[in-house]
Amino acid sequence: MLTQQMLSGLASGFIYALLALGFAAVYRSMRVINFAQGDLFMTGAFVGLFLAKNLQLPFLAVLLLTGLILLAFGMVFERFVLAPASSHTPEVHAMIRTVGLSVVLQGVAIITWGTEEYRFPQLLSSASVSLYSISIPVNLLFVAGTSVILLGSLVIFLRHTQLGLSMRAASQNRLGAEVVGINVSLARSFAFGLSASLAGIAGVLIAPLWYVHYSMGVMMGLKGFTAAVLGSLGSFPGAVIGGLTLGVIENLTAGYVSSVWKDAAVFAILIAVLTLRPQGILGLRYKERV
Amino acid sequence: MDGPEPEVPGLQNRLQASQSKPRRMKTKTMKNIFKFISGALFVALVAIGACNSNTTPGQIQIGMLAPLTGNGASFGISQRDGVQLALDEINAKGGINGLKLELIVEDTKTEPPTAVTATNKLISQNKVPVIIGSAASLDVPAYMDLLEKAHVPQILPVAVLPKITEGDAKWTFRSAMNDKIAATKMAEFVVNELQAKKVAILLEDSAFGSTGMVFGERLEQLGVKPLTVEKFKRGDLDMSAQLIKIKNLGATHIQFWGYYADYAQIARQMKDLGVHAQLMGNQAPVTEKTIELGGEAVEGVIDICLFVPTSEDPKIKSFTDNFRAKYNRLPDTWAAQSYDGMYILAEALRQGGTDPQKIRDALAATKDFNGITGTITFNSKGDAEFRGTSVVVVRQGRFVPYKN
Amino acid sequence: MNHSTQVSLRARLQLIALLAGFIVLPLLLNDRFFQHVLTTAFIYVVLILGLNTVIGLTGQVSLSQAALYGVGAYTSAILAKQISLPFPLSFALAVCVSASLGFLLSACVVKMRSHYLALATIGFGEILINVFRSAEKLTGGANGLSAIPAPRLGPWIIDTPLRYCYLALAVAIACYAGMFLITHSQLGNAFRAVRDNEFAASSLGLNTVRLKVLAFTLGAGYAGAAGALYAHLDGFIGPESFSTSQSILLFCVLVVGGLGHPLGSLIGALLFVIGQEFFRAFSHYQLLLFGSTVIIVMVFAPQGIAGLLRSMLGQGSDAAKNPLQGATWNPNGFKAVPSGPTEILSSDTSALAYKNQRESPVLVIKDLVVRYGGLIAVNDVSFNVISGEILCLIGPNGAGKTTLLNVIGGQQQPAQGSVMLNLSGTSAASEKEFSVIGLQPHNLARVGLARTFQTSQLFSELSTVENVLVGQYLHRKTRTSLLTILFLPWIAVKKDTEAREEAEKWLRFTGLYDYRYQLAKHLPYGLRRALEIARCLATNPSILLLDEPSAGMSPSERKSLATLLRSISNLGTTLIIVAHDLDLVRSLGDHVVVLDHGKVIFDGSPQDLRDSEKVIDAYLGKRRTELQLAF
């Protein structure tokens, strides 16, 4: 039973990992916590819903298209709303704008789709694979596989492409990057867009396993952030480790302690990490401004 | 305390700056702002007052609280549609004592505080003599006391929470089936009809879900001890931990007590995790949304309710046809219950006029009302006593009566 | 002068008229429902005022306000229901319980940065809500608590909407008045300083941790008060009213209304509650409208509606009187100040008497070593600083001067060595000497150490005089406690006035008096540097550390700086200046220490420096001619 519990925890764990990656990307490049991450996740699920149900596109197309749409949206938002905040006002102001975005996204979802729950079309097999009396839904395998591929691509992108390099340079030393001719504002926009894209893809991945609802992002955002902090805020491998760890811990708490206190357990972890070991599991610390 | 506070002698005294009269902080502009705000406020409030709806003579106004948005929306909409159908029929036949009926609907958004504000509005502003109460069980305890104080009666055709009629309320009448009755009947069904021996209970962690314990108690009385009682939070998207535990215990039947979304989700996760047990539910999942969200996974699940649209009874068929003609969909049990509720209310209005006290007394006196959801009599607690209920199962995407 | 008293009178009349309007309004409306709406509005005013203390005044983004609101509500409701406690008591207890929880929460999160703090507070809030939901016997669980009795105030029972409206209004007025007093007091100024630049605030002697916790606790207390009012309003409370989403909503309301001044909270709360009722029909669009408003306000008017109104109705009028156009800090302007430094000096004999105590070392630095990983930045440095002298610390780039200054100033810890402060020559009270190393940051100013930094660390949103007032804060004589501010406001105002006078004296001394109402962020470079010095002076330092004070200044500004520094020295303060400007060293220095690669290569008077071969080599290689010319 323990194994099955842990495996089930991994499903949410991968989703938390994707969300945490988004947090890490934004934090690394602009020291901002994107409060709207969970709601971008929800928006991705709805966009995917539209593409899958109304346009009847195949799953892979839905996944890619959602990723692209959210990428574009994120870049535009960063360019026009967040970027102006960075120079003159404290970092808190940028955070407040993401709070505004969070509320707006929920508002739009309510207006467009109402407050009810929606079923995401089952485009993949809804079968399960059985292995030594452990049942693994195919969907879960897909989630895991896609997440791993995404992570891999992200690492390659950051290390080996020009844009990735620019992003890393811009995040470490903005002025220096500008001086050597890197388009810093593009790099930052891209970082935010990337984060939105990851969140959206996570939404599409998990939607077939759950259902789509305007408030599905709120908790997920918080848990994604917890995962990011748990791993080590700003670190990509940390985000993944934190996400998987959180998913497993959550499920084990639900299984062996009480499912009612599942969420509280996550928050207790969050507070404990922030208070006692803010540098997270991996112990990395990104240079903070004084 | 902290470190010492050395005073370098005379450092301050050495400044022989000329004394200038200290300036008070600027309060003038603040006052201007206050004036501006209060003026705007006043205008706004007056404007709101102007948007007040006035009573039209020659009509009886009935207030209705319904969760039209939020997770009670499917119930609220059914309630509204059922009531409206009945109301239109009554008006078409000339109304009540020559007066036409008008419905004033307030959306509670499935939020108790909003329900309270809405109730206040209906009582103070619209001054309705009677209210059709919210379909969302959680809304009701929030505003019930207001009705007690204001002496305005309400009829609840949908809310199933037992707690509502367990207090001293004199102004609340419930024509829906008290969930405890449902729990008892379900337990009897499970033991007698299904002959289940290994039953697990999975209930929502709330007052609503706690009625599942009544199921468990009745089960024990009949000689079957539940294997385990697991809980979940409403809206939780992942119940795999609980299901894995239940699977491990070897349960053949799982009794659910909660709302439709979680029901559908559990059904799906049961399939994913290979939990081969019969899923059974309470009244709340008997709605289209369950089938919509659950898809194939809810095929074969068993629930309990007061009404099935596929019955051959002519009265039921006529209602079903009318409903489908008007709304282009099949009525669910909640719409049917609301339809009955409106007719019960109409009878009370016929006897009580527009006096809330008289309406209340007439409602209390309701006896053997023959509706499409059964025969209803209100007991001293304002709760409905029924004869007979329906156990339903989902076949090919529809709720049909359970046949062995 | 007469004009300002007249304005004050008119302002007071307006205020009374406004208050009267609020008092009469519930009666005017004469409708239960509107009275209910108004009551809700007043409750929100209290709630948002509390949030403003935490976020607006001290910059701690707390998203647990709704949960603390819930704590207050449940406390008052449970006490009234279970033991029939009268309202004043249940209210007071609700405030205490909320404030205590706020205190505990704050103690955990106070050292976190803003985004971590926000999320930690969310975490706490969620845990509290879980408690509300689970403790069914006490709180009614998810179903909520119903049949909450109406408030009982002695013989009166508040069971009509009208009476409740007045109850809420009374509490709201009291809370607003309290917050107004706090905001305009030195305490409020200190809060805002902590928000703007915590590091600088603590270097001026403010115990920033204590201040932040105080603000948080205050905000929590307000939340408790609002909760107690809310609990009895409808006879019902449920956990969903206190969720994180609600906290975020409150935060948005505050931001839109305006962070900082209590007026923003008032506007935000009133607009929100009334707007919600007004737009009831469009409740679907509520979230979208709301979120968009937040973004729009943040982009176009980050000071919120209150800030907009204030700039529209001309709050900048004070600043406008002293325009900053082309303002420079020049010697002519300097001398024009009637009681300039020259007057101060000549009239006071005790200053000169004090200077005669010169011989005692006030600072003893011994065997100091500072390492950055493998690099040794300060290598076995020892020297003494005589009380009242001007010490110039010079050396080539990378010599370790700023590091050394940081250690002396207490911002950095050395690997080895000691820095001993000896103030025994200065006052009868403190006879002993003690180590600077290991002192908590806010104690440095208290022992008489003040410093300026290479990059300007001003409180940008505070005015010039307010900046200096922060330096004034640590003096107990003029400081006021929270209780004094709230319950003996006349005493507080008197002390504030005294503090202000002191601050203005320093402004005159440094030639900034004319610019006292300008916001620090608007000051041109030279004036900013002067302001930093003025602010340090307000702490009455025994030792003033200056890190490249003349960097970036024009030649005329440098001359003014030199004069100012000499005047400060004449007051008896010891100056330690890290300088590149050799003219400054030559004109001011009593004592020069030269560093090269972390080691002291010269320690003596400027005259002896001229001939030192080592120094010349260090700076310029072998080009001694030019250096000799310089000296």
Side-chain angles (χ1 to χ4, degrees), chain B residues 376-395:
Chain B
I376 295 165
T377 299
F378 288 129
N379 63 15
S380 57
K381 287 270 189 189
D383 214 352
E385 290 174 351
F386 292 90
R387 291 177 222 149
T389 56
S390 269
V391 175
V392 292
V393 66
V394 178
R395 293 254 181 270

PDB file of all heavy atoms in Angstrom, chain B residues 376-395:
ATOM      1  N   ILE B 376     -46.755  14.266   1.077  1.00  0.00           N
ATOM      2  CA  ILE B 376     -46.010  15.049   2.064  1.00  0.00           C
ATOM      3  C   ILE B 376     -46.900  15.558   3.170  1.00  0.00           C
ATOM      4  O   ILE B 376     -47.965  16.140   2.930  1.00  0.00           O
ATOM      5  CB  ILE B 376     -45.316  16.239   1.361  1.00  0.00           C
ATOM      6  CG1 ILE B 376     -44.259  15.706   0.380  1.00  0.00           C
ATOM      7  CG2 ILE B 376     -44.639  17.148   2.377  1.00  0.00           C
ATOM      8  CD1 ILE B 376     -43.785  16.724  -0.613  1.00  0.00           C
ATOM      9  N   THR B 377     -46.456  15.327   4.394  1.00  0.00           N
ATOM     10  CA  THR B 377     -47.095  15.931   5.571  1.00  0.00           C
ATOM     11  C   THR B 377     -45.978  16.532   6.407  1.00  0.00           C
ATOM     12  O   THR B 377     -44.956  15.894   6.629  1.00  0.00           O
ATOM     13  CB  THR B 377     -47.806  14.852   6.401  1.00  0.00           C
ATOM     14  OG1 THR B 377     -48.799  14.240   5.608  1.00  0.00           O
ATOM     15  CG2 THR B 377     -48.430  15.451   7.654  1.00  0.00           C
ATOM     16  N   PHE B 378     -46.194  17.746   6.895  1.00  0.00           N
ATOM     17  CA  PHE B 378     -45.168  18.333   7.759  1.00  0.00           C
ATOM     18  C   PHE B 378     -45.387  17.923   9.202  1.00  0.00           C
ATOM     19  O   PHE B 378     -46.498  18.018   9.719  1.00  0.00           O
ATOM     20  CB  PHE B 378     -45.185  19.859   7.673  1.00  0.00           C
ATOM     21  CG  PHE B 378     -44.647  20.369   6.365  1.00  0.00           C
ATOM     22  CD1 PHE B 378     -45.363  21.286   5.620  1.00  0.00           C
ATOM     23  CD2 PHE B 378     -43.414  19.944   5.883  1.00  0.00           C
ATOM     24  CE1 PHE B 378     -44.862  21.773   4.416  1.00  0.00           C
ATOM     25  CE2 PHE B 378     -42.920  20.415   4.676  1.00  0.00           C
ATOM     26  CZ  PHE B 378     -43.655  21.328   3.939  1.00  0.00           C
ATOM     27  N   ASN B 379     -44.320  17.499   9.856  1.00  0.00           N
ATOM     28  CA  ASN B 379     -44.475  17.152  11.263  1.00  0.00           C
ATOM     29  C   ASN B 379     -44.257  18.386  12.137  1.00  0.00           C
ATOM     30  O   ASN B 379     -44.126  19.510  11.638  1.00  0.00           O
ATOM     31  CB  ASN B 379     -43.510  16.013  11.639  1.00  0.00           C
ATOM     32  CG  ASN B 379     -42.060  16.422  11.478  1.00  0.00           C
ATOM     33  OD1 ASN B 379     -41.746  17.593  11.363  1.00  0.00           O
ATOM     34  ND2 ASN B 379     -41.191  15.433  11.466  1.00  0.00           N
ATOM     35  N   SER B 380     -44.205  18.166  13.426  1.00  0.00           N
ATOM     36  CA  SER B 380     -44.125  19.309  14.329  1.00  0.00           C
ATOM     37  C   SER B 380     -42.823  20.085  14.204  1.00  0.00           C
ATOM     38  O   SER B 380     -42.724  21.231  14.626  1.00  0.00           O
ATOM     39  CB  SER B 380     -44.280  18.840  15.776  1.00  0.00           C
ATOM     40  OG  SER B 380     -43.274  17.884  16.037  1.00  0.00           O
ATOM     41  N   LYS B 381     -41.839  19.417  13.604  1.00  0.00           N
ATOM     42  CA  LYS B 381     -40.563  20.128  13.433  1.00  0.00           C
ATOM     43  C   LYS B 381     -40.488  20.817  12.072  1.00  0.00           C
ATOM     44  O   LYS B 381     -39.457  21.373  11.716  1.00  0.00           O
ATOM     45  CB  LYS B 381     -39.400  19.116  13.524  1.00  0.00           C
ATOM     46  CG  LYS B 381     -39.147  18.609  14.903  1.00  0.00           C
ATOM     47  CD  LYS B 381     -38.157  19.512  15.592  1.00  0.00           C
ATOM     48  CE  LYS B 381     -37.697  18.928  16.884  1.00  0.00           C
ATOM     49  NZ  LYS B 381     -36.904  19.902  17.641  1.00  0.00           N
ATOM     50  N   GLY B 382     -41.553  20.705  11.329  1.00  0.00           N
ATOM     51  CA  GLY B 382     -41.531  21.323  10.003  1.00  0.00           C
ATOM     52  C   GLY B 382     -40.872  20.444   8.959  1.00  0.00           C
ATOM     53  O   GLY B 382     -40.613  20.872   7.843  1.00  0.00           O
ATOM     54  N   ASP B 383     -40.617  19.207   9.328  1.00  0.00           N
ATOM     55  CA  ASP B 383     -39.951  18.291   8.402  1.00  0.00           C
ATOM     56  C   ASP B 383     -41.003  17.444   7.696  1.00  0.00           C
ATOM     57  O   ASP B 383     -42.059  17.139   8.246  1.00  0.00           O
ATOM     58  CB  ASP B 383     -38.990  17.399   9.179  1.00  0.00           C
ATOM     59  CG  ASP B 383     -37.760  17.054   8.370  1.00  0.00           C
ATOM     60  OD1 ASP B 383     -37.737  17.391   7.166  1.00  0.00           O
ATOM     61  OD2 ASP B 383     -36.835  16.453   8.939  1.00  0.00           O
ATOM     62  N   ALA B 384     -40.682  17.037   6.462  1.00  0.00           N
ATOM     63  CA  ALA B 384     -41.658  16.266   5.693  1.00  0.00           C
ATOM     64  C   ALA B 384     -41.546  14.791   6.026  1.00  0.00           C
ATOM     65  O   ALA B 384     -40.460  14.254   6.177  1.00  0.00           O
ATOM     66  CB  ALA B 384     -41.417  16.475   4.209  1.00  0.00           C
ATOM     67  N   GLU B 385     -42.703  14.157   6.134  1.00  0.00           N
ATOM     68  CA  GLU B 385     -42.703  12.711   6.324  1.00  0.00           C
ATOM     69  C   GLU B 385     -43.194  12.064   5.045  1.00  0.00           C
ATOM     70  O   GLU B 385     -44.239  12.418   4.525  1.00  0.00           O
ATOM     71  CB  GLU B 385     -43.610  12.358   7.497  1.00  0.00           C
ATOM     72  CG  GLU B 385     -42.973  12.814   8.798  1.00  0.00           C
ATOM     73  CD  GLU B 385     -43.896  12.608   9.975  1.00  0.00           C
ATOM     74  OE1 GLU B 385     -45.073  12.273   9.769  1.00  0.00           O
ATOM     75  OE2 GLU B 385     -43.411  12.797  11.098  1.00  0.00           O
ATOM     76  N   PHE B 386     -42.406  11.128   4.569  1.00  0.00           N
ATOM     77  CA  PHE B 386     -42.715  10.544   3.267  1.00  0.00           C
ATOM     78  C   PHE B 386     -43.181   9.117   3.375  1.00  0.00           C
ATOM     79  O   PHE B 386     -42.930   8.434   4.329  1.00  0.00           O
ATOM     80  CB  PHE B 386     -41.458  10.528   2.372  1.00  0.00           C
ATOM     81  CG  PHE B 386     -41.014  11.867   1.964  1.00  0.00           C
ATOM     82  CD1 PHE B 386     -40.110  12.568   2.727  1.00  0.00           C
ATOM     83  CD2 PHE B 386     -41.511  12.448   0.810  1.00  0.00           C
ATOM     84  CE1 PHE B 386     -39.687  13.813   2.344  1.00  0.00           C
ATOM     85  CE2 PHE B 386     -41.088  13.699   0.425  1.00  0.00           C
ATOM     86  CZ  PHE B 386     -40.173  14.389   1.190  1.00  0.00           C
ATOM     87  N   ARG B 387     -43.780   8.755   2.275  1.00  0.00           N
ATOM     88  CA  ARG B 387     -43.986   7.330   2.110  1.00  0.00           C
ATOM     89  C   ARG B 387     -43.273   6.924   0.833  1.00  0.00           C
ATOM     90  O   ARG B 387     -43.665   7.306  -0.237  1.00  0.00           O
ATOM     91  CB  ARG B 387     -45.472   7.011   2.000  1.00  0.00           C
ATOM     92  CG  ARG B 387     -46.199   7.230   3.297  1.00  0.00           C
ATOM     93  CD  ARG B 387     -47.673   6.969   3.139  1.00  0.00           C
ATOM     94  NE  ARG B 387     -48.443   7.994   3.837  1.00  0.00           N
ATOM     95  CZ  ARG B 387     -49.635   8.408   3.456  1.00  0.00           C
ATOM     96  NH1 ARG B 387     -50.169   7.920   2.362  1.00  0.00           N
ATOM     97  NH2 ARG B 387     -50.273   9.318   4.139  1.00  0.00           N
ATOM     98  N   GLY B 388     -42.249   6.184   0.964  1.00  0.00           N
ATOM     99  CA  GLY B 388     -41.575   5.664  -0.245  1.00  0.00           C
ATOM    100  C   GLY B 388     -40.533   6.605  -0.820  1.00  0.00           C
ATOM    101  O   GLY B 388     -40.711   7.813  -0.840  1.00  0.00           O
ATOM    102  N   THR B 389     -39.457   6.001  -1.234  1.00  0.00           N
ATOM    103  CA  THR B 389     -38.411   6.759  -1.932  1.00  0.00           C
ATOM    104  C   THR B 389     -37.927   5.908  -3.093  1.00  0.00           C
ATOM    105  O   THR B 389     -38.297   4.758  -3.222  1.00  0.00           O
ATOM    106  CB  THR B 389     -37.199   7.017  -1.022  1.00  0.00           C
ATOM    107  OG1 THR B 389     -36.744   5.761  -0.542  1.00  0.00           O
ATOM    108  CG2 THR B 389     -37.543   7.923   0.113  1.00  0.00           C
ATOM    109  N   SER B 390     -37.091   6.478  -3.884  1.00  0.00           N
ATOM    110  CA  SER B 390     -36.586   5.741  -5.038  1.00  0.00           C
ATOM    111  C   SER B 390     -35.105   5.493  -4.896  1.00  0.00           C
ATOM    112  O   SER B 390     -34.359   6.374  -4.482  1.00  0.00           O
ATOM    113  CB  SER B 390     -36.782   6.581  -6.306  1.00  0.00           C
ATOM    114  OG  SER B 390     -38.001   6.315  -6.893  1.00  0.00           O
ATOM    115  N   VAL B 391     -34.732   4.268  -5.246  1.00  0.00           N
ATOM    116  CA  VAL B 391     -33.299   4.035  -5.351  1.00  0.00           C
ATOM    117  C   VAL B 391     -32.965   3.967  -6.828  1.00  0.00           C
ATOM    118  O   VAL B 391     -33.626   3.265  -7.585  1.00  0.00           O
ATOM    119  CB  VAL B 391     -32.895   2.713  -4.665  1.00  0.00           C
ATOM    120  CG1 VAL B 391     -31.414   2.442  -4.890  1.00  0.00           C
ATOM    121  CG2 VAL B 391     -33.190   2.810  -3.189  1.00  0.00           C
ATOM    122  N   VAL B 392     -31.987   4.725  -7.253  1.00  0.00           N
ATOM    123  CA  VAL B 392     -31.687   4.827  -8.666  1.00  0.00           C
ATOM    124  C   VAL B 392     -30.278   4.336  -8.968  1.00  0.00           C
ATOM    125  O   VAL B 392     -29.419   4.255  -8.098  1.00  0.00           O
ATOM    126  CB  VAL B 392     -31.796   6.283  -9.155  1.00  0.00           C
ATOM    127  CG1 VAL B 392     -33.224   6.743  -9.118  1.00  0.00           C
ATOM    128  CG2 VAL B 392     -30.923   7.184  -8.313  1.00  0.00           C
ATOM    129  N   VAL B 393     -30.096   3.999 -10.222  1.00  0.00           N
ATOM    130  CA  VAL B 393     -28.775   3.594 -10.672  1.00  0.00           C
ATOM    131  C   VAL B 393     -28.519   4.265 -12.017  1.00  0.00           C
ATOM    132  O   VAL B 393     -29.446   4.621 -12.736  1.00  0.00           O
ATOM    133  CB  VAL B 393     -28.696   2.061 -10.787  1.00  0.00           C
ATOM    134  CG1 VAL B 393     -29.629   1.563 -11.887  1.00  0.00           C
ATOM    135  CG2 VAL B 393     -27.276   1.613 -11.029  1.00  0.00           C
ATOM    136  N   VAL B 394     -27.294   4.483 -12.331  1.00  0.00           N
ATOM    137  CA  VAL B 394     -26.954   5.126 -13.598  1.00  0.00           C
ATOM    138  C   VAL B 394     -26.747   4.069 -14.666  1.00  0.00           C
ATOM    139  O   VAL B 394     -25.909   3.177 -14.518  1.00  0.00           O
ATOM    140  CB  VAL B 394     -25.659   5.951 -13.461  1.00  0.00           C
ATOM    141  CG1 VAL B 394     -25.291   6.572 -14.807  1.00  0.00           C
ATOM    142  CG2 VAL B 394     -25.845   7.037 -12.426  1.00  0.00           C
ATOM    143  N   ARG B 395     -27.557   4.147 -15.719  1.00  0.00           N
ATOM    144  CA  ARG B 395     -27.381   3.226 -16.838  1.00  0.00           C
ATOM    145  C   ARG B 395     -27.352   4.035 -18.121  1.00  0.00           C
ATOM    146  O   ARG B 395     -28.238   4.822 -18.377  1.00  0.00           O
ATOM    147  CB  ARG B 395     -28.563   2.237 -16.909  1.00  0.00           C
ATOM    148  CG  ARG B 395     -28.636   1.286 -15.757  1.00  0.00           C
ATOM    149  CD  ARG B 395     -28.204  -0.126 -16.162  1.00  0.00           C
ATOM    150  NE  ARG B 395     -28.313  -1.024 -15.016  1.00  0.00           N
ATOM    151  CZ  ARG B 395     -27.319  -1.242 -14.153  1.00  0.00           C
ATOM    152  NH1 ARG B 395     -26.170  -0.645 -14.308  1.00  0.00           N
ATOM    153  NH2 ARG B 395     -27.495  -2.056 -13.130  1.00  0.00           N
TER     154      ARG B 395
END
